[in-house]
Amino acid sequence: MIEKEVHLLLVEDEAPLREATAERLVDHGYRVVQAESGEAAVEHLADFAFDVLLTDLRLPGIDGTQVLASALERYPEMVCIVVTGFGTVKDAVEAIKRGAAEFITKPFQFDQLLHVLTAALEQRRLRSENAYLR
């Protein structure tokens, strides 16, 4: 369970995976908004400052890299995690260069996702705390 309410935008075009992941994240205390496309994600980002973006890389229309860029342009402190079923080392390096905190390949274990989320949020908290203390 997480200590503070964390708002997460989940972008995945495969409805069964998106819905199952969202349900499990809610069970672990996350407030989840689902988006089935990059376009829907960008609309949600215009309306709300999420703590976390969890996006598929390959999406119809606006892809995950464009969603990532849009999110970080608007909210530079947002934790962004990229997930893909077609992951290559090149894709992972590119996602990290663009500001993603982590890159996960499908199929993934839910516990792996939780670990990545927890670690990324803790890293953001420590950066914020460090900046405050300076």
Side-chain angles (χ1 to χ4, degrees):
M1 233 20 166
I2 55 179
E3 295 176 19
K4 173 190 164 287
E5 189 170 71
V6 175
H7 292 83
L8 184 145
L9 177 59
L10 173 58
V11 189
E12 171 61 61
D13 59 327
E14 296 176 34
L17 176 60
R18 182 182 68 245
E19 292 163 4
T21 302
E23 186 176 312
R24 296 212 43 206
L25 287 168
V26 167
D27 289 346
H28 282 82
Y30 290 88
R31 298 278 308 230
V32 179
V33 172
Q34 299 179 45
E36 71 284 345
S37 68
E39 290 82 359
V42 170
E43 287 178 25
H44 286 300
L45 288 165
D47 295 336
F48 189 80
F50 293 90
D51 299 298
V52 178
L53 170 68
L54 179 59
T55 184
D56 192 359
L57 190 60
R58 306 264 204 253
L59 297 165
I62 295 176
D63 71 9
T65 57
Q66 292 170 297
V67 173
L68 175 67
S70 179
L72 290 173
E73 181 180 315
R74 194 176 296 261
Y75 311 108
E77 295 302 312
M78 181 183 287
V79 171
C80 299
I81 298 169
V82 174
V83 180
T84 186
F86 306 99
T88 65
V89 171
K90 182 182 175 201
D91 290 334
V93 169
E94 189 60 33
I96 300 299
K97 279 184 182 178
R98 291 179 180 257
E102 189 68 56
F103 185 90
I104 301 173
T105 56
K106 294 180 197 171
F108 58 86
Q109 296 294 317
F110 187 75
D111 288 343
Q112 175 193 13
L113 175 60
L114 282 180
H115 175 73
V116 166
L117 283 169
T118 302
L121 286 166
E122 178 64 10
Q123 190 173 46
R124 182 181 77 170
R125 186 192 68 75
L126 290 172
R127 275 195 314 268
S128 176
E129 188 177 289
N130 192 16
Y132 174 77
L133 290 172
R134 279 191 206 148

